[in-house]
Amino acid sequence: MKGKYKFLLLALLIAFASCSFTSKKFEDPDKDKLLIQLITYLLDQGHFEPKDINDDFSEDVFEKYLNNVDQFKRFFYASDIEEFEAYKLKIDDQIKAYDVSFFNLTHQRLLQRIAEAKTMYIEILEKPFDFSKKEEYVADYENLTYATNKREMKERWRQQLKFSTIANYDEILSQQDAEADSADKAIKKKKSLKEIEAEARLATKESIDVLYDYIEDRRRNDWFSVYINAIVEGFDPHTFYFAPEDKERFDRDISGKFEGIGARLQKKVDGIMVNEIISGGPAWRADELEVGDQILKVKQEDEEEAVNVVGMRLDDAIKFIKGPKGTVVTLTLKKVDGTVKDISITRDVVELEETYAKSSIVEKEGKTFGIINLPKFYISFEDYNERNAASDIKREILRLKEEGVEGLVMDLRNNGGGSLQTVVDIAGLFIEDGPVVQVKTTGEAKEVLSDKDKSIVWDGPLVILVNELSASASEILAAAMQDYKRGIVIGSKQTYGKGTVQTVMDLNRMVKNNTKGDMGALKFTTQKFYRINGGSTQLEGVKSDVVVPDRYSYINIGEKDQDNPLAWDKIDAADYEVWGNYFDYDTTISKSKARMAANEQLKLIDANAQWVKKIRDRESYSLNYDAYKKEMEINEEEAKRFAKLSEYQTDLTFTSLPYEMKLMDKDSVLKEKRNRWHKALAKDVYVEEAINVLHDLKMTYAIKNKVANSVKN
């Protein structure tokens, strides 16, 4: 294998993984220039389809970057853009020369314009809005031109702020009317329209103050990351630069675990607040930290003085609070009741329960089935033998088999993918052995990733549930089961359409004598994967055997709707044999399609999806309250048509597995989460049809098996 592709070996096993790229070391005293050197070298040497960095590329970066930093065109003026356009066809030359003068110019100007806009919005919100005036707010930002002067810019801000305020005004007024009509008619002084307008305006200011607090927290390197990503996303939608904090979040999301205290924090105007305690984590076990507590100070076990985190950036505060397993952190809290208190928590590994697979027993007409929900194909970068999606799915299947389930639903809806190795292992749970996916690297022969374990964990009826947000590894599993005729795929017309594999490179490994701090990481596309029948899932996704409408049916959210996606293509099929069984897929699919076509709930879902599309595409709104209220009433009346969607109830009963029931005795949070999940499943028309399909498959299997045995006898 060619030298420059040696680093790709691990990508054959793990879709997102850190790996060793080259022995070449980079050294530059300027961190910005060094970062561009590292990234352009990696993309040139390792990207699946390297791009020519030319004038066309330069223009694309120019447009993408300016759109990313000022999408709503409320900061830059036309004169700024005219000045910036001197660089429009020179960014490619600057990239090659590791020159950041375009970024420096735009960044300095952006900070200036942000500060000016803050003065504007404060001034605008000091004066009442006239909701009797007839005027329109246009939200077509893509075709909006840049403001030519401050008067025009101020008017743009005024309309946006008035649009936000009219929504608040309507909400407060409606709430007051509802209270007046309620059975509990406690005597309250009715607010005047003037008072309501002032309250609505204050709510708008508080909301935008929070936004500005976030903007002003951003440092130069945060904005530079935006510029870098405008460059790397020119290669394809899934190539992305992770600043150090972003890389930590990525690792946490793909593994489902991190080391810390087990609390989710939020930056508020008056400080850093606790907004969730993660069930089973150290803070949950200690039972002293509460939602709503404000963190004032943080002290490490080896330090005398605590660090004041009031006013600190959230990411910086989190660095002090998180830490290695076994270490103790002391938090000074302002409790919900106003008292100040110190508490100490021993950090530990925190598992994010919502990341992991979960299963339930399903009862229908005396028959028992199983459903497994897999949110993502998770894995530990450090050790594949640690908890991962494949080992968890296997364990859940075995537990369901102990309960005597007659069919299995794998719910991959909204699953955006993850580890390539885990999907190969999961596919192997349903087939004897054979190829699962084909992987292609530029300039190299294809690699076929196969299940080599002849054992089958589940050989019964199988349904795969997907939607438009089922992507990458989800598409591999659905496609493999479809090609083997091992299961029936139910869901959207097609899945997301991401047929590429990414590798994550820790940039610090490439830097010699690094004194510039953490360089972050680059996720870049190194391979494409293909179905075992040779077709790519890129752009086209996986076509469901039974297509059902859903809320995303008319919204452009797939790979084909992204910028710069790689093209669809096809390679030779792998050597595989269709799974031998007595399931009558054709008859079962035909019956399912007939049920779906006659299902009134699905017809209503389709109508709702079309209505949602109409609402989303709307670009003009009245700022006259009478007209605004009339439009809202029309929308509310239309929405009543779809109220029955939430009222739908299946005849299915869902029960947690025995092992989880025992856990719930000690964990009320887990119990509540499972109860909510089961309640949602009981209203889920897609799950209902999946169970119907399993029932039909079971029946066709029994009939065909009986006929086959009769022939043998």
Side-chain angles (χ1 to χ4, degrees), residues 272-274 289-295 333-336:
I272 294 169
M273 311 292 286
V274 177
L289 193 65
E290 297 177 285
V291 171
D293 286 349
Q294 180 184 348
I295 301 177
L333 306 172
K334 183 178 182 181
K335 300 293 289 180
V336 179

Side-chain angles (χ1 to χ4, degrees), residues 6 74 79 105 142 156 159 183 187 208 222 233 249 256 272 282 302 351 367 371 382 488 559 562 639 641 661 681:
K6 287 181 181 177
R74 292 205 293 268
S79 58
L105 171 64
E142 188 174 339
R156 183 166 297 178
Q159 288 191 357
I187 299 174
I208 203 159
D222 297 318
E233 288 171 10
R249 279 190 284 268
I272 294 169
D302 58 349
E351 293 190 337
K367 295 187 180 298
I371 182 169
E382 285 74 29
I488 292 177
E559 179 86 356
Q562 307 304 309
R641 286 180 55 205
M661 300 284 274
L681 289 175

Side-chain angles (χ1 to χ4, degrees), residues 176-209:
Q176 178 169 274
D177 291 342
E179 288 173 355
D181 294 337
S182 68
D184 180 19
K185 299 205 174 191
I187 299 174
K188 281 186 182 179
K189 182 183 177 183
K190 192 172 181 180
K191 298 173 187 173
S192 67
L193 294 181
K194 183 177 180 181
E195 289 172 322
I196 291 173
E197 187 279 335
E199 187 177 334
R201 204 162 11 98
L202 178 61
T204 298
K205 184 177 185 302
E206 289 173 347
S207 176
I208 203 159
D209 281 344

Side-chain angles (χ1 to χ4, degrees), residues 242-452:
F242 291 108
E245 293 86 357
D246 296 328
K247 176 58 167 58
E248 285 184 22
R249 279 190 284 268
F250 175 79
D251 290 345
R252 178 197 66 205
D253 290 344
I254 202 66
S255 67
K257 64 179 69 172
F258 64 93
E259 293 184 355
I261 66 170
R264 287 193 172 98
L265 309 177
Q266 184 178 6
K267 182 76 177 287
K268 295 283 191 179
V269 174
D270 52 351
I272 294 169
M273 311 292 286
V274 177
N275 70 347
E276 184 182 349
I277 307 295
I278 297 172
S279 180
W284 178 85
R285 294 195 300 268
D287 198 24
E288 289 188 277
L289 193 65
E290 297 177 285
V291 171
D293 286 349
Q294 180 184 348
I295 301 177
L296 305 177
K297 297 178 182 180
V298 182
K299 185 171 79 69
Q300 312 304 322
E301 62 183 9
D302 58 349
E303 295 178 346
E304 293 292 329
E305 295 293 326
V307 175
N308 189 327
V309 296
V310 176
M312 187 180 285
R313 297 173 76 238
L314 181 60
D315 285 341
D316 290 339
I318 288 173
K319 289 177 184 176
F320 289 106
I321 297 166
K322 287 175 65 176
K325 173 183 177 180
T327 58
V328 177
V329 61
T330 300
L331 307 178
T332 300
L333 306 172
K334 183 178 182 181
K335 300 293 289 180
V336 179
D337 62 7
T339 60
V340 176
K341 179 181 180 182
D342 284 354
I343 68 167
S344 295
I345 301 174
T346 302
R347 300 176 177 111
D348 201 348
V349 174
V350 180
E351 293 190 337
L352 303 173
E353 181 270 329
E354 63 268 25
T355 299
Y356 299 129
K358 58 179 180 283
S359 66
S360 177
I361 300 165
V362 190
E363 300 283 347
K364 177 180 171 64
E365 297 175 359
K367 295 187 180 298
T368 304
F369 302 94
I371 182 169
I372 300 176
N373 175 269
L374 183 65
K376 62 182 65 178
F377 292 79
Y378 47 89
I379 190 175
S380 169
F381 284 163
E382 285 74 29
D383 184 2
Y384 185 74
N385 292 321
E386 284 190 28
R387 185 173 190 179
N388 64 67
S391 59
D392 280 1
I393 293 292
K394 181 178 181 179
R395 185 163 51 246
E396 293 304 315
I397 293 174
L398 293 174
R399 286 166 170 164
L400 287 166
K401 285 175 72 174
E402 288 179 4
E403 301 306 311
V405 299
E406 300 180 49
L408 182 65
V409 178
M410 279 290 297
D411 189 352
L412 302 180
R413 291 175 296 176
N414 303 319
N415 183 323
S419 161
L420 192 57
Q421 180 60 51
T422 58
V423 72
V424 173
D425 290 345
I426 291 171
L429 302 175
F430 305 112
I431 60 173
E432 186 174 346
D433 61 2
V436 174
V437 63
Q438 304 186 90
V439 186
K440 188 83 169 60
T441 303
T442 301
E444 300 295 326
K446 71 177 184 181
E447 297 281 345
V448 181
L449 304 186
S450 301
D451 166 47
K452 296 181 172 61

Side-chain angles (χ1 to χ4, degrees), residues 499-518:
T500 55
V501 181
Q502 285 72 41
T503 294
V504 177
M505 168 62 68
D506 182 350
L507 299 178
N508 297 292
R509 296 186 181 186
M510 299 175 63
V511 182
K512 183 180 180 182
N513 301 322
N514 182 22
T515 59
K516 292 294 179 180
D518 198 332

